[in-house]
């Protein structure tokens, strides 16, 4: 099963939207590290609607411990700090699609340690620093699903 990993998400509606997307596609959602909200946040719940009971999710407070386990598997680091396109990656059923927080992205130390796993969503307008996290997850998730279901 594919897993979406969110490192230190900060904006509750983004996480709620991503949770809903995961639930709709039977994708596991891992929330990792310090969250910028409480899990009972009304905006988180509102964005996820009444689907939370249908979402496979788990919280991992220790980012280092999580990485030491997950990085033994096939994983993809989504970042604006890569030249490698997400569409050039090969995705398989048990991969981890890892996204950083809305404010900081994935840490430089992780990106520097695993440059071969980093990829990006291209953007034409260089004045825009990044896409919305929920939008980015949707784009990459559906490319992974397209490849897996071919």
């Amino acid at each position: 099963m594919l897993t979406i990993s969110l490192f230190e998400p900060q904006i509750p509606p983004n996480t709620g939207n991503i949770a809903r997307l995961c639930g709709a596609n039977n994708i596991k959602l891992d929330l990792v590290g310090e969250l910028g909200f409480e899990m009972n946040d009304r905006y988180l719940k509102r964005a996820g609607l009444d689907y939370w009971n249908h979402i496979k999710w788990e919280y991992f407070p220790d980012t280092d411990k999580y990485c030491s386990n997950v990085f033994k598997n096939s994983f993809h680091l989504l970042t604006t700090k890569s030249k490698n396109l997400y569409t050039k990656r090969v995705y398989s059923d048990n991969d981890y699609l890892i996204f950083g927080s809305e404010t900081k992205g994935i840490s430089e130390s992780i990106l520097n340690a695993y440059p071969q796993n980093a990829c990006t969503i291209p953007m034409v307008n260089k004045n825009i620093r990044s896409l919305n996290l929920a939008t980015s997850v949707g784009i990459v998730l559906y490319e992974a699903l397209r490849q897996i279901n071919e």
Side-chain angles (χ1 to χ4, degrees):
M1 169 188 305
L2 279 172
T3 299
I4 299 293
S5 303
L6 302 181
F7 284 13
E8 300 182 345
Q10 300 298 303
I11 302 173
N14 280 341
T15 301
N17 283 323
I18 293 164
R20 188 171 169 182
L21 178 67
C22 289
N25 290 285
N26 290 321
I27 304 298
K28 186 169 184 280
L29 174 62
D30 288 348
L31 303 177
V32 183
E34 189 173 332
L35 306 180
F37 50 85
E38 299 293 325
M39 287 306 295
N40 63 357
D41 183 281
R42 68 184 182 118
Y43 296 109
L44 175 72
K45 294 214 177 275
R46 182 176 180 191
L49 295 176
D50 57 348
Y51 301 126
W52 283 98
N53 292 336
H54 306 286
I55 297 165
K56 298 174 191 104
W57 70 277
E58 198 169 349
Y59 173 57
F60 299 87
D62 188 326
T63 304
D64 291 335
K65 186 175 178 182
Y66 181 83
C67 290
S68 68
N69 289 323
V70 167
F71 290 175
K72 296 173 186 171
N73 302 291
S74 178
F75 64 96
H76 311 269
L77 301 168
L78 281 297
T79 177
T80 59
K81 299 172 178 131
S82 176
K83 299 284 187 218
N84 304 317
L85 298 180
Y86 79 101
T87 53
K88 301 295 185 191
R89 302 284 299 167
V90 176
Y91 303 95
S92 54
D93 202 29
N94 293 311
D95 287 2
Y96 288 79
L97 307 178
I98 301 172
F99 298 81
S101 78
E102 296 92 337
T103 55
K104 295 184 273 183
I106 297 172
S107 77
E108 292 286 333
S109 62
I110 291 173
L111 294 175
N112 290 335
Y114 301 96
Q116 71 280 5
N117 295 78
C119 57
T120 192
I121 301 168
M123 296 183 296
V124 175
N125 187 338
K126 300 305 177 196
N127 294 311
I128 305 299
R129 288 185 308 277
S130 64
L131 297 174
N132 173 274
L133 180 59
T135 300
S136 297
V137 170
I139 290 168
V140 177
L141 174 60
Y142 277 100
E143 171 60 17
L145 290 173
R146 182 193 69 77
Q147 287 186 23
I148 291 165
N149 293 320
E150 278 190 333

